[in-house]
Amino acid sequence: MSQSGALHLSTGLQGKNVDKDQLESTVEQYAKYHDLHGGDEEFRKSNYSDLVNKYYDLVTSFTEYHWGQSFHFAPRWHGETLRESIKRFEHFIALQLGLKKGMKVLDVGCGIGGPLREITRFSSAEITGLNNNAYQISRGKELISLAGLSDRCNFIELGAYREIYRVLKPGQYFALDELCLTDKFDPNNTKHKDIKAEIELGSGLPDIRSTRECIQAMKDAGFEVIFAKDLAEDSECPWYHEFDPSRISLKTISNSRVGHLLTRAIVGTLEFLRIAPKGCNRLFSILQTASHGLVTGSREQIFTVTFFVLGRKPLKESDI
């Protein structure tokens, strides 16, 4: 996190969706859902909607500022910037689905619509984004209007992924990009379990499925799995290249351990001086926990941020 990022976090960039007076209590309520703060998986699952909405209400504006408008990861080539790799991956998805002008597409779990807008420009398809967070839908519609894509893009609220198979016509495709545990994850390894808990806390997840469970879930829903692969395995450059605190350069200094300490000091000072609302330092801690878990899990190959699955709804039920 850069120092300017710390200032935006602390002085209320997220204020449009979380009342500043409620920030501290919202952060505390969110944290208590997770293992690292006394919660458990069943508690998270039984309160899934509240868990997810609190998470995205807290982090959406900062994520947009720091990461960009596409809230996902991507395999990366040498010499390629993070933003370039994300755009290329979005084009890859469009090509895998064979998208073209006149097609109607659903983007499920669309965030604020960064991929939706890029894929619309690239393919000329008409895309509707599905989301269950009111603030992200509102922000997404605003960005669609600014991009001049209101005639080809839209947002609606969807309650559950189980509807995906139902709404697709026979023969149509579903492309899934998922965060998953790999076969190297050992549920009996304390370090592995701690990394998993960090990712869940920092990513608003009640649990993390394995790649095998992800494939099986697609099949259980009725899809024929055409292609499934951890794209990180063929990535020339790790997605976290610029975010690894063990790497020190002028370009990555803000993400180094020294940079983290400096940013924490800035956030804490702004909160102490009441320039920033109470809870900013705790929120910063959660975001740093997420960064540590994601980078460590990816480096040790027990977790992947780019597990890609292409499924097809059979032409006939007997095709399954």
Side-chain angles (χ1 to χ4, degrees):
M1 182 188 296
S2 66
Q3 278 64 63
S4 60
L7 182 61
H8 275 265
L9 170 66
S10 300
T11 54
L13 184 63
Q14 80 290 351
K16 294 181 181 179
N17 43 308
V18 178
D19 190 296
K20 291 182 180 180
D21 294 335
Q22 300 297 317
L23 178 61
E24 184 176 32
S25 62
T26 302
V27 173
E28 289 301 322
Q29 290 167 21
Y30 170 74
K32 287 178 180 178
Y33 278 121
H34 293 275
D35 294 8
L36 295 178
H37 298 280
D40 59 55
E41 181 183 335
E42 290 307 314
F43 182 49
R44 291 192 294 276
K45 287 183 176 179
S46 62
N47 294 275
Y48 177 75
S49 180
D50 186 61
L51 165 75
V52 172
N53 276 293
K54 276 188 170 59
Y55 174 76
Y56 286 114
D57 283 347
L58 287 167
V59 307
T60 291
S61 291
F62 178 76
T63 303
E64 179 184 352
Y65 171 81
H66 186 63
W67 187 264
Q69 295 175 2
S70 294
F71 297 174
H72 66 83
F73 304 92
R76 193 169 167 186
W77 294 343
H78 286 299
E80 187 177 49
T81 67
L82 178 67
R83 299 289 171 85
E84 289 170 344
S85 70
I86 286 175
K87 180 179 289 190
R88 177 174 53 79
F89 184 53
E90 290 164 355
H91 294 178
F92 165 80
I93 291 175
L95 292 171
Q96 287 292 308
L97 291 170
L99 301 185
K100 58 185 178 182
K101 187 174 183 179
M103 286 186 167
K104 295 184 182 298
V105 183
L106 296 177
D107 180 0
V108 182
C110 59
I112 60 172
L116 179 156
R117 290 186 294 279
E118 181 60 37
I119 291 174
T120 294
R121 295 189 190 98
F122 179 73
S123 68
S124 296
E126 297 178 23
I127 306 180
T128 296
L130 305 179
N131 200 328
N132 64 356
N133 182 264
Y135 173 69
Q136 288 197 339
I137 291 175
S138 173
R139 178 60 176 155
K141 287 181 177 179
E142 179 184 355
L143 292 171
I144 282 174
S145 178
L146 290 172
L149 294 171
S150 298
D151 59 329
R152 285 184 283 162
C153 301
N154 188 27
F155 281 79
I156 59 175
E157 191 164 354
L158 181 71
Y161 275 28
R162 63 176 177 269
E163 294 294 299
I164 298 171
Y165 184 86
R166 185 184 66 80
V167 301
L168 288 178
K169 295 179 181 179
Q172 291 185 327
Y173 291 85
F174 172 40
L176 175 68
D177 175 37
E178 190 64 277
L179 308 179
C180 288
L181 300 172
T182 70
D183 289 342
K184 293 184 179 180
F185 175 79
D186 179 1
N188 297 313
N189 184 306
T190 300
K191 183 180 180 180
H192 288 191
K193 289 192 294 183
D194 288 345
I195 292 171
K196 178 175 179 284
E198 289 180 344
I199 295 170
E200 289 167 347
L201 171 66
S203 303
L205 298 171
D207 190 24
I208 306 175
R209 292 183 296 187
S210 69
T211 54
R212 294 176 186 271
E213 289 172 327
C214 185
I215 292 172
Q216 189 58 51
M218 288 279 284
K219 292 179 178 178
D220 290 344
F223 286 103
E224 173 190 1
V225 174
I226 305 296
F227 175 73
K229 182 174 178 60
D230 177 4
L231 299 181
E233 294 177 351
D234 296 331
S235 182
E236 295 180 2
C237 179
W239 69 267
Y240 55 84
H241 186 72
E242 295 171 6
F243 299 89
D244 189 343
S246 65
R247 294 178 52 85
I248 299 178
S249 69
L250 290 176
K251 188 176 182 180
T252 64
I253 186 65
S254 64
N255 294 306
S256 68
R257 292 184 177 89
V258 173
H260 290 174
L261 290 172
L262 180 58
T263 304
R264 180 181 292 279
I266 293 173
V267 174
T269 300
L270 291 171
E271 188 174 320
F272 176 76
L273 294 175
R274 298 186 179 181
I275 297 172
K278 288 185 178 180
C280 280
N281 216 19
R282 184 64 182 276
L283 178 56
F284 172 75
S285 178
I286 288 174
L287 293 171
Q288 290 305 112
T289 297
S291 177
H292 179 268
L294 289 166
V295 171
T296 305
S298 296
R299 189 194 302 121
E300 299 195 6
Q301 300 180 344
I302 64 171
F303 172 80
T304 178
V305 298
T306 52
F307 187 63
F308 181 79
V309 184
L310 181 66
R312 181 182 73 109
K313 185 171 182 176
L315 294 171
K316 299 178 182 178
E317 294 297 327
S318 58
D319 291 343
I320 301 176

